[in-house]
């Protein structure tokens, strides 16, 4: 069977065009990744050092989305579609010019063959023979080799540069510029308080105090910039903290009766809210003692609304009714023995007293 040089030629051109767009896709992917990384670094740095508001961060967010969409479409989506022959692809003549520029031995021969192939439709045997002869002369040349898929050093540099910049951020301990700023850009609709260049470290073991007892708060400031003065903001009023050594400050709350809610203010920054928990003082709010003497005494039942010592006839029945506040574990002790307990805010018991006895409520 006679070899069809023309079909072989077109098949080689199709392979060249496919490899041409594959090469564009690979290079485009590198460019896209490098550009997106550079824009990521740029936008994060702008956000961090400029402290944009919601509108500013929204602009950065959508700018990044639009830029990403455009360059991905141009450098990845379009070459990928053209690889499968969707859209306006490279023509045989355009491919022939590229190949001719790459191979000196081909020069304009391939272009001439394509022009002759258009004339061959007239079934001119002489033209067909000429096409076969010219095609045979360049048959051994691999058109695909005109495209080099190996990534060059110049292309590598595009992606290595932004990666090195990101690595330097982490090595230098400044990764928060990228991580915190990117989080704020992603959550662009959320309002963020400006973060101070220092932080508060509470030195107290716990933030609790007993009701009506003085509470001394101690804090230490750490960071790059330490303000010389710190204030506590409580109920709209500012109170200056006393400065000790090594960036340690203290403030004493005097006789607080309930939970303390406050904020710190220093260097133009207001901290988030803090809470010091008040351990409410347990107390008896009402004590009622009902004494019922024995019948032989002829005395009536007597109600006493206060604690303390009792003088009662022997054999009297005594009923205690106690109301508590801020207490969840209450006991009644008689002659060093617990005879009643309650976890509620009240306790009630009745006892017949025949001897001198000591009682206590805890």
């Amino acid at each position: 069977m006679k070899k069809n040089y023309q079909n072989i030629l077109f098949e080689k051109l199709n392979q060249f065009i496919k490899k041409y767009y594959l090469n564009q896709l690979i290079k485009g992917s590198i460019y896209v990744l490098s550009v997106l990384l550079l824009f990521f670094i740029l936008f994060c740095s702008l956000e961090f050092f400029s402290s944009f508001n919601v509108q500013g961060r929204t602009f950065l967010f959508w700018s990044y989305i639009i830029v990403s969409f455009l360059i991905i479409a141009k450098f990845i989506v379009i070459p990928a579609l053209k690889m499968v022959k969707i859209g306006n692809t490279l023509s045989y003549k355009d491919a022939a010019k590229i190949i001719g520029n790459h191979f000196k031995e081909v020069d304009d021969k391939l272009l001439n063959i394509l022009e002759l192939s258009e004339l061959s439709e007239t079934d001119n045997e002489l033209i067909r023979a000429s096409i076969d002869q010219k095609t045979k002369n360049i048959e051994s040349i691999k058109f695909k080799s005109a495209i080099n898929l190996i990534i060059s050093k110049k292309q590598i540099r595009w992606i290595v540069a932004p990666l090195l910049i990101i690595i330097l951020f982490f090595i230098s301990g400044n990764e928060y510029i990228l991580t915190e700023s990117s989080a704020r850009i992603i959550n662009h609709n959320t309002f963020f308080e400006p973060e101070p260049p220092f932080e508060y470290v509470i030195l107290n073991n716990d933030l609790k105090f007993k009701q009506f007892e003085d509470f001394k708060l101690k804090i230490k400031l750490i960071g790059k910039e330490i303000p010389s003065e710190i204030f506590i903001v409580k109920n709209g009023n500012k109170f200056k903290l006393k400065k000790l050594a090594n960036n340690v400050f203290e403030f004493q709350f005097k006789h607080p009766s309930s939970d303390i809610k406050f904020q710190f203010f220093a260097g133009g920054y207001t901290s988030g809210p803090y809470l010091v928990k008040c351990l409410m003082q347990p107390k008896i709010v009402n004590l009622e003692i009902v004494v019922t003497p024995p019948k032989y005494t002829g005395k009536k039942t007597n109600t006493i609304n206060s604690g303390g010592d009792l003088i009662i006839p022997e054999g009297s029945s005594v009923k205690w009714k106690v109301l508590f506040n801020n207490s969840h574990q209450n006991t009644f002790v008689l002659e060093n023995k617990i005879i009643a307990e309650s976890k509620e805010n009240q306790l009630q018991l009745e006892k017949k007293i025949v001897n001198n006895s000591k009682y206590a409520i805890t």
Side-chain angles (χ1 to χ4, degrees):
M1 182 181 287
K2 186 178 179 181
K3 198 171 185 179
N4 192 328
Y5 291 104
Q6 188 172 340
N7 290 342
I8 294 172
L9 174 67
F10 289 147
E11 179 61 29
K12 291 173 69 175
L13 284 171
N14 286 330
Q15 292 175 0
F16 170 83
I17 293 171
K18 187 174 182 179
K19 191 174 181 181
Y20 173 83
Y21 286 117
L22 176 61
N23 185 55
Q24 281 197 340
L25 183 60
I26 293 172
K27 290 182 178 179
S29 300
I30 294 171
Y31 293 149
V32 166
L33 184 58
S34 59
V35 169
L36 291 184
L37 286 175
L38 286 171
F39 269 89
F40 171 77
I41 296 168
L42 175 62
F43 282 16
C44 287
S45 301
L46 282 173
E47 197 283 333
F48 182 83
F49 292 106
S50 300
S51 300
F52 287 115
N53 56 18
V54 171
Q55 290 77 15
R57 282 184 280 110
T58 300
F59 174 78
L60 291 179
F61 176 82
W62 286 110
S63 295
Y64 191 84
I65 295 296
I66 293 170
V67 169
S68 301
F69 176 80
L70 291 176
I71 64 173
I72 289 173
K74 179 175 177 60
F75 292 103
I76 294 181
V77 176
I78 292 176
L81 291 175
K82 290 186 176 181
M83 272 188 66
V84 293
K85 297 183 179 180
I86 297 177
N88 295 323
T89 59
L90 199 68
S91 67
Y92 288 150
K93 287 186 178 181
D94 292 332
K97 291 177 182 177
I98 297 172
I99 296 169
N101 291 332
H102 187 79
F103 297 107
K104 292 183 179 179
E105 60 270 36
V106 173
D107 197 18
D108 291 334
K109 294 178 184 177
L110 184 55
L111 189 59
N112 292 334
I113 293 170
L114 293 173
E115 290 173 348
L116 287 172
S117 66
E118 294 175 355
L119 299 175
S120 67
E121 295 177 0
T122 60
D123 294 330
N124 190 315
E125 290 297 331
L126 184 62
I127 293 175
R128 285 187 185 180
S130 177
I131 291 172
D132 288 345
Q133 182 60 42
K134 291 178 182 291
T135 304
K136 187 177 180 180
N137 291 337
I138 60 173
E139 181 187 9
S140 60
I141 299 174
K142 296 181 178 180
F143 297 162
K144 291 193 299 182
S145 62
I147 305 295
N148 185 10
L149 293 180
I150 298 175
I151 301 171
S152 66
K153 292 181 179 178
K154 186 176 181 181
Q155 293 164 343
I156 289 290
R157 188 170 58 198
W158 276 94
I159 194 169
V160 168
L163 286 175
L164 284 176
I165 294 173
I166 293 174
I167 291 171
L168 285 174
F169 271 101
F170 280 85
I171 292 175
S172 63
N174 294 314
E175 73 282 356
Y176 59 89
I177 295 177
L178 300 180
T179 56
E180 294 178 7
S181 295
S182 59
R184 287 192 292 269
I185 292 174
I186 292 171
N187 298 289
H188 56 93
N189 287 327
T190 304
F191 175 76
F192 293 94
E193 286 281 357
E195 294 188 4
F198 55 86
E199 60 179 302
Y200 302 96
V201 178
I202 305 293
L203 300 180
N204 299 71
N205 291 329
D206 57 54
L207 294 179
K208 295 178 182 178
F209 66 93
K210 294 180 181 179
Q211 188 180 28
F212 303 120
E213 290 187 5
D214 290 352
F215 176 76
K216 186 175 287 186
L217 176 70
K218 280 192 174 183
I219 65 166
K220 183 175 183 178
L221 265 62
I222 59 174
K224 296 180 179 179
E225 300 177 16
I226 306 298
S228 59
E229 294 182 332
I230 306 176
F231 298 87
I232 275 181
V233 181
K234 183 176 178 291
N235 297 327
N237 299 313
K238 289 183 180 179
F239 306 93
K240 187 177 179 180
L241 277 74
K242 181 181 178 181
K243 186 173 183 180
L244 306 178
N246 300 321
N247 298 325
V248 176
F249 297 78
E250 70 174 19
F251 183 82
Q252 183 163 301
F253 296 93
K254 294 188 176 183
H255 314 303
S257 60
S258 60
D259 292 350
I260 304 171
K261 296 179 181 179
F262 66 92
Q263 293 173 286
F264 291 115
F265 177 80
Y269 296 92
T270 302
S271 73
Y274 288 84
L275 175 67
V276 182
K277 190 70 177 176
C278 177
L279 302 177
M280 305 298 287
Q281 185 176 12
K283 56 186 176 182
I284 297 173
V285 294
N286 189 54
L287 174 59
E288 182 180 287
I289 304 173
V290 180
V291 179
T292 304
K295 290 183 179 180
Y296 73 85
T297 63
K299 293 183 178 182
K300 295 181 179 180
T301 299
N302 183 29
T303 300
I304 304 168
N305 290 313
S306 63
D309 295 340
L310 298 174
I311 299 176
I312 60 175
E314 181 182 356
S316 295
S317 177
V318 182
K319 181 184 287 186
W320 285 270
K321 297 179 181 179
V322 191
L323 291 178
F324 302 93
N325 194 15
N326 305 322
S327 179
H328 63 277
Q329 186 174 356
N330 313 300
T331 59
F332 189 94
V333 179
L334 186 66
E335 288 300 315
N336 297 321
K337 292 182 180 180
I338 297 175
I339 62 170
E341 290 183 291
S342 172
K343 292 186 178 180
E344 305 297 330
N345 61 358
Q346 62 181 357
L347 186 149
Q348 184 172 313
L349 75 150
E350 187 172 355
K351 192 74 176 176
K352 187 176 183 179
I353 306 298
V354 295
N355 298 309
N356 290 336
S357 304
K358 292 182 179 180
Y359 76 95
I361 301 170
T362 61

